[in-house]
Amino acid sequence: MSDIRDEVAETFAELFGSEPAGLWSAPGRVNLIGEHTDYNEGFVLPFAINRRTVVALGLREDRVIRVASGFADEAAEIAIADLAPGAVSGWPAYPLGVAWALGQLGADLAAVPGVDLYIESTVPVGAGLSSSAAIESAVALALNDVWRLGMDRRVLASVGQRAENEMVGAPTGIMDQSASLLGREDAAVFLDCRSLESEVVDLGFRAAGLELLVIDTGVEHQHATGGYADRRASCERGAAALGVTSLRDVTDLTAARDLLDDETFRRVRHVVTENQRVLDTVRALREDGPLAIGGLLDASHVSMRDDFEISVPELDLAVETAQANGAIGARMTGGGFGGSAIALVPAESISRVLVAVDGAFAEAGMQQPTMFTVTPSEGAKRER
Ligand code: GLA
């Protein structure tokens, strides 16, 4: 198979009739732990994966942006001055939203030249591995470079989030873009979503003989509509009822139980306990290594299933089957309502888990999941 970077450069040249000025790439992510904590100003511990989106960019002489991709027929073209929420729809809202959001976060776009962009990706779409953040981060880095904006990677993460919130209309947090921009090989990004300070935490999976298996259930999730926004609203209601600006500040769950209805209390309890599990995971990784984090991953899944109620039967089955067949820990990852589960599995047990999960899904009459291992990889970068 030829290198995706060559393919992207060649297709760019065919489409736009010239060589690209450069190639940039950014990865998808797996969240190891810390789910639905980012928009509650809490803690997250995601890592960038070895599945990437590659962007080829060429400068134009006018002030138009054109985007095309290998994953959709639809292309788009718009003048920089016309970029605004509502002006674009479909997948082009991600890359074009980034160009717009750069201006919103302080870049002076009054004199920048137009660009042609061609995008391809090996991050599976709809699997809960942040294919959208990979596009946003690759485009943000590319435009930051060619437009010489000098923006810091943490600001570029906010740019991606702003694009997603306002151009795409999905009320997501800052985690995915942070992982994609700040990721390091064999490490996770420990992010405080209040201060936006981050630290790199070594994972050491390989040295411990562990593989990180992704089990993509194929169940579609959608963050722009439905459950995700609903859970976010519950968290905001809970914080308001408890008199705090965000659930990060809730420390006393006993008092919260008296003040909230049962459902809101369980939503709040998930966030409060999940924040603690992130801190415990970071400590366990640093003091004892990855073999010590299995119980925390398992507990996170239970909390999402029972308290936050964002799992689905396919995710539960994937998690339980992996746990019963040698995984040291497993949980659903990402926003929920579908997408993928992850399992931390000793290398020698991988084939047993694969066979068992396939068998369990067949027996339950569920669509066969797609399974693959991922390695913690470096974040967005210029390729050429
Ligand atoms: C999605 C969002 C993130 C985060 C997770 C849940 O991936 O994009 O911001 O809220 O869900 O942890």
Side-chain angles (χ1 to χ4, degrees), residues 38-317:
D38 61 353
Y39 56 77
N40 288 302
E41 298 191 351
F43 303 106
V44 292
L45 190 64
F47 62 86
I49 59 174
N50 56 328
R51 298 272 189 137
R52 303 180 79 88
T53 291
V54 179
V55 174
L57 180 152
L59 289 169
R60 297 169 58 93
E61 309 216 317
D62 56 12
R63 300 248 308 145
V64 164
I65 306 188
R66 283 194 292 182
V67 291
S69 77
F71 44 80
D73 290 338
E74 176 194 10
E77 177 172 332
I78 188 167
I80 294 172
D82 294 339
L83 287 167
V88 262
S89 60
W91 80 267
Y94 294 97
L96 296 174
V98 165
W100 168 80
L102 284 166
Q104 299 299 303
L105 285 165
D108 180 4
L109 305 186
V112 297
V115 292
D116 288 326
L117 297 165
Y118 177 71
I119 306 173
E120 277 190 25
S121 187
T122 61
V123 186
V125 174
L129 302 179
S130 297
S131 56
S132 53
I135 297 175
E136 291 152 9
S137 302
V139 171
L141 195 67
L143 292 176
N144 184 55
D145 280 0
V146 299
W147 285 346
R148 300 180 204 281
L149 302 175
M151 285 174 144
D152 176 272
R153 281 178 183 243
R154 286 190 290 188
V155 178
L156 294 180
S158 299
V159 163
Q161 184 193 12
R162 182 75 71 94
E164 189 143 344
N165 292 170
E166 295 186 34
M167 291 286 264
V168 180
T172 48
I174 190 73
M175 169 170 71
D176 306 338
Q177 296 81 2
S178 302
S180 184
L181 281 152
L182 303 174
R184 297 278 174 78
E185 210 167 300
D186 207 23
V189 178
F190 172 37
L191 178 70
D192 177 336
C193 300
R194 170 167 274 174
S195 67
L196 295 185
E197 274 166 26
S198 63
E199 285 171 37
V200 168
V201 179
D202 288 342
L203 289 171
F205 290 161
R206 183 149 300 155
L210 294 171
E211 298 275 1
L212 196 296
L213 180 68
V214 172
I215 306 167
D216 175 7
T217 62
V219 179
E220 293 263 348
H221 70 290
Q222 221 350 319
H223 292 333
T225 52
Y228 185 93
D230 177 75
R231 292 303 183 278
R232 190 169 176 156
S234 291
C235 291
E236 281 160 13
R237 269 199 308 278
L242 296 171
V244 291
T245 51
S246 81
L247 294 183
R248 163 72 171 271
D249 294 320
V250 178
T251 45
D252 185 355
L253 277 173
T254 317
R257 188 189 281 277
D258 296 335
L259 290 164
L260 302 172
D261 64 85
D262 176 63
E263 185 185 283
T264 310
F265 172 69
R266 286 184 293 110
R267 305 294 188 249
V268 169
R269 181 166 62 187
H270 165 71
V271 174
V272 173
T273 58
E274 185 78 349
N275 274 330
Q276 188 58 47
R277 281 186 289 272
V278 175
L279 299 176
D280 291 347
T281 303
V282 170
R283 200 184 47 237
L285 283 167
R286 286 182 169 154
E287 290 175 5
D288 305 308
L291 288 163
I293 68 170
L296 291 158
L297 303 184
D298 294 346
S300 172
H301 186 77
V302 169
S303 180
M304 289 188 285
R305 185 191 65 200
D306 298 345
D307 273 356
F308 218 60
E309 295 182 279
I310 54 171
S311 191
V312 294
E314 288 83 351
L315 287 167
D316 292 339
L317 184 62

